[in-house]
């Protein structure tokens, strides 16, 4: 059984036999140590690919050459393994779709399973992924040490910072901010209460969500930088998908010699702000900016459509579905018809994007645009000004005493970045 300090990885038996044969643990002790390290790297790459629900796992050989725990020689041997084993030929980088490591598996057939089919023990810190891959054939299991995973992640971040300093500024900002966190320990009852009020994740039971939340907090306490990734513009860490109530009550900052509660500053109607910034100047854009700045965008659309919603969250979800990401009757719903009348330029832009691209492309376009502001611009500015901060998608987590000051930064940078200042909310 894996301990709390390990991650258990299931690997197809045929692939594992190739791993053991290619990297034998006999001979000189240096050779054994090097082969053991190569085994861990191969297992990590397979595990990372298997839990990638979108088949977009990739790695750069250039980065691996610079990593202290890999290096050029080990990287060459690892790539050779993938070329000669049950994996098909390897390109310069493992890339998306059919070039990903998932599709390199020869004879080891894979099947998709939904999150609701997993046992509670299968839910790990990355359970926010909607689906996982699992082998259809016989498997063996092996453990990866969390300490080794943390060292691998640290080596990866250092290599990226060295090779791509501009693109990797967010890493040092997150690292320095996390060192100033005081991380609490919510009880199972706390997590159960939060889970009962949160949106459902792929049909997962409330009890399973509560257990997942509690494990994530424990893992974050021990190895806070583990699982730190950036995908489609957004930064993900172990507390990204935790309920706000848990973050508010169990996360603090140690700043200026004091332990302070946290505050969250988030942008209202973020996707619509991003789309508005893409429009050419017009009366329609001016009206959009006014409604977004006043926090009336959703209400105006709801009133114009004649729709009745008892809660604001229901209205927001309906607008995003009917006017942006929905597939059924897209463009024919009362909300979209209302958008065509009130914001015709915006409706035309969305129709054009939906006609020429699929929904996932549009979603990625918006999350990348979101990240260019929050991760690449706002986060470094706030941290360099002396305030620790973490991004939670379209929000910033900061010490409560700095909330008003950081809100001012948000307005100033948004004015320069978007051409107008949207509405920012402070939640203490």
């Amino acid at each position: 059984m894996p301990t709390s300090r390990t991650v258990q990885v299931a690997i197809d038996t045929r692939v594992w036999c190739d791993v053991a044969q290619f990297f034998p643990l006999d001979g000189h002790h240096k050779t054994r140590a090097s082969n053991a390290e190569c085994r861990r790297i191969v297992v990590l790459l397979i595990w990372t690919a298997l839990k990638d629900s979108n088949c977009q796992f990739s790695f750069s050989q250039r980065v691996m050459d610079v990593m202290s725990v890999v290096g050029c020689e080990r990287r060459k041997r690892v790539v050779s393994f993938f070329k000669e084993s049950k994996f098909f030929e390897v390109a310069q980088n493992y890339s998306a779709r059919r070039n990903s490591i998932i599709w390199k598996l020869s004879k080891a057939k894979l099947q998709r399973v939904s999150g609701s089919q997993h046992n509670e023990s299968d839910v790990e810190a990355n359970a926010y992924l909607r689906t996982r891959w699992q082998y259809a054939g016989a498997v063996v299991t092996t453990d990866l040490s969390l300490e080794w995973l943390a060292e691998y992640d640290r080596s990866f971040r250092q290599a990226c910072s060295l090779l791509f300093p501009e693109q990797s500024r967010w890493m040092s900002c997150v690292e320095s901010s996390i060192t100033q966190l005081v991380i609490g320990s919510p009880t199972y009852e706390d997590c159960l209460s939060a889970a009962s009020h949160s949106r459902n994740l792929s049909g997962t039971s409330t009890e399973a969500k509560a257990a997942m939340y509690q494990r994530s907090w424990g893992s974050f306490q021990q190895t806070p930088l583990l699982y730190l990734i950036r995908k489609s513009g957004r930064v993900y860490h172990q507390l990204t998908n935790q309920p706000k109530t848990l973050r508010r009550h169990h996360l603090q900052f140690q700043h200026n010699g004091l332990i302070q509660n946290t505050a969250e500053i988030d942008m209202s109607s973020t996707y619509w702000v991003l789309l508005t910034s893409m429009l050419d100047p017009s009366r329609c854009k001016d009206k959009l900016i006014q409604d977004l700045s006043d926090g009336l965008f959703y209400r105006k659309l709801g009133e114009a459509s004649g729709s009745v919603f008892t809660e604001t969250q229901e209205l927001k979800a309906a607008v995003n579905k009917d006017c942006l990401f929905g597939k059924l009757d897209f463009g024919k719903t009362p909300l979209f018809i209302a958008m065509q009348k009130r914001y015709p330029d915006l409706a035309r832009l969305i129709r054009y994007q939906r006609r020429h691209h699929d929904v996932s492309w549009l979603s990625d376009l918006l999350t990348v645009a979101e990240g260019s502001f929050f991760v690449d611009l706002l986060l470094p500015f706030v941290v360099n000004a002396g305030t620790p901060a973490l991004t939670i998608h379209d929000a910033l987590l900061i010490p409560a005493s700095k909330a008003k000051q950081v809100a001012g930064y948000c307005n100033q940078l948004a004015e320069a970045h978007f051409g107008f200042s949207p509405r920012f909310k402070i939640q203490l």
Side-chain angles (χ1 to χ4, degrees):
M1 294 291 291
T3 70
S4 60
R5 301 297 299 168
T6 63
V7 171
Q8 191 176 75
V9 186
I11 301 177
D12 186 277
T13 303
R14 289 157 291 192
V15 176
W16 179 250
C17 288
D18 280 358
V19 173
Q21 184 176 355
F22 202 91
F23 303 108
L25 300 183
D26 53 20
H28 194 272
H29 72 279
K30 289 186 177 180
T31 302
R32 292 199 304 271
S34 178
N35 284 347
E37 191 75 359
C38 287
R39 282 189 180 192
R40 284 192 286 267
I41 295 168
V42 167
V43 170
L44 173 64
L45 295 178
I46 294 173
W47 175 65
T48 307
L50 290 175
K51 67 185 181 66
D52 180 0
S53 64
N54 296 316
C55 302
Q56 293 175 338
F57 167 72
S58 64
F59 78 84
S60 167
Q61 295 188 33
R62 183 182 175 195
V63 172
M64 296 185 81
D65 283 349
V66 179
M67 291 174 61
S68 58
V69 300
V70 184
C72 182
E73 291 305 315
R74 283 178 183 157
R75 190 271 302 166
K76 288 179 180 178
R77 297 191 63 209
V78 167
V79 172
S80 295
F81 164 77
F82 286 120
K83 286 181 178 179
E84 299 175 22
S85 72
K86 296 290 188 228
F87 295 89
F88 289 159
E89 62 182 290
V90 178
Q92 181 68 20
N93 295 292
Y94 292 106
S95 55
R97 306 298 177 185
R98 292 187 177 274
N99 288 324
S100 78
I101 201 172
I102 289 292
W103 294 97
K104 308 298 178 183
L105 285 167
S106 171
K107 298 183 180 178
K109 295 180 180 179
L110 298 169
Q111 59 186 7
R112 299 295 292 273
V113 293
S114 65
S116 60
Q117 291 176 275
H118 289 288
N119 296 324
E120 183 177 321
S121 60
D122 292 326
V123 183
E124 292 293 339
N126 286 280
Y128 61 84
L129 295 174
R130 288 170 294 181
T131 55
R132 285 187 172 188
W133 292 95
Q134 72 174 19
Y135 289 103
V139 298
V140 295
T141 57
T142 183
D143 292 346
L144 285 177
S145 160
L146 283 179
E147 286 77 7
W148 182 85
L149 281 171
E151 177 58 29
Y152 184 96
D153 280 356
R154 189 181 306 112
S155 177
F156 175 81
R157 292 193 299 273
Q158 290 172 348
C160 289
S161 298
L162 180 64
L163 293 172
F164 319 111
E166 285 300 310
Q167 298 94 321
S168 303
R169 285 189 303 165
W170 65 271
M171 290 184 179
S172 59
C173 293
V174 172
E175 287 178 352
S176 64
S177 297
I178 281 181
T179 61
Q180 299 179 64
L181 282 178
V182 179
I183 305 167
S185 300
T187 64
Y188 177 76
E189 287 70 25
D190 294 332
C191 296
L192 191 63
S193 175
S196 65
H197 293 92
S198 66
R199 286 180 294 178
N200 206 347
L201 298 175
S202 304
T204 307
S205 69
T206 301
E207 292 75 14
K209 284 195 295 181
M212 179 192 70
Y213 292 155
Q214 191 174 28
R215 280 195 294 271
S216 293
W217 279 91
S219 178
F220 193 66
Q221 282 183 323
Q222 297 175 340
T223 49
L225 292 171
L226 195 61
Y227 309 122
L228 175 64
I229 62 170
R230 187 171 185 184
K231 187 174 182 179
S232 298
R234 289 177 164 177
V235 170
Y236 292 88
H237 46 76
Q238 295 178 78
L239 298 188
T240 297
N241 290 330
Q242 291 284 320
K244 287 184 179 181
T245 53
L246 292 181
R247 294 200 299 264
R248 188 178 300 123
H249 292 104
H250 300 282
L251 203 61
Q252 295 175 304
F253 279 101
Q254 187 166 6
H255 182 60
N256 290 337
L258 299 173
I259 295 179
Q260 306 182 30
N261 291 331
T262 58
E264 287 193 28
I265 301 179
D266 67 87
M267 182 191 291
S268 298
S269 312
T270 303
Y271 281 175
W272 303 104
V273 169
L274 298 171
L275 288 166
T276 300
S277 69
M278 300 175 190
L279 297 175
D280 293 329
S282 67
R283 290 183 180 180
C284 174
K285 183 174 182 177
D286 293 340
K287 184 190 292 187
L288 260 171
I289 291 173
Q290 187 64 52
D291 288 349
L292 288 167
S293 300
D294 294 341
L296 299 176
F297 171 76
Y298 290 108
R299 188 199 304 177
K300 294 288 187 182
L301 270 184
E303 292 172 352
S305 70
S307 303
V308 178
F309 294 91
T310 57
E311 294 185 8
T312 304
Q313 284 301 121
E314 289 182 4
L315 174 59
K316 290 180 178 180
V319 170
N320 288 342
K321 174 179 174 291
D322 290 359
C323 301
L324 203 54
F325 300 123
K327 295 182 179 180
L328 184 64
D329 293 330
F330 178 76
K332 300 177 182 179
T333 62
L335 283 168
F336 194 88
I337 292 171
M339 176 177 287
Q340 286 179 311
K341 294 178 180 178
R342 184 168 181 82
Y343 311 118
D345 292 357
L346 179 62
R348 275 193 295 271
L349 172 63
I350 295 171
R351 274 195 181 279
Y352 176 85
Q353 299 291 3
R354 287 294 304 269
R355 187 179 299 118
H356 291 85
H357 306 284
D358 61 24
V359 172
S360 62
W361 184 93
L362 178 60
S363 176
D364 286 347
L365 172 72
L366 293 173
T367 55
V368 168
E370 172 191 285
S372 69
F373 177 73
F374 281 94
V375 179
D376 297 324
L377 180 62
L378 182 59
L379 177 65
F381 187 93
V382 171
V383 172
N384 290 338
T387 301
L390 290 175
T391 57
I392 308 287
H393 298 337
D394 60 350
L396 209 61
L397 198 66
I398 54 170
S401 65
K402 293 291 186 177
K404 289 185 177 180
Q405 183 183 35
V406 173
Y409 295 155
C410 292
N411 285 306
Q412 294 170 18
L413 293 174
E415 184 73 41
H417 189 73
F418 300 122
F420 62 95
S421 182
R423 187 167 178 252
F424 288 94
K425 296 180 296 185
I426 300 176
Q427 297 181 331
L428 298 172

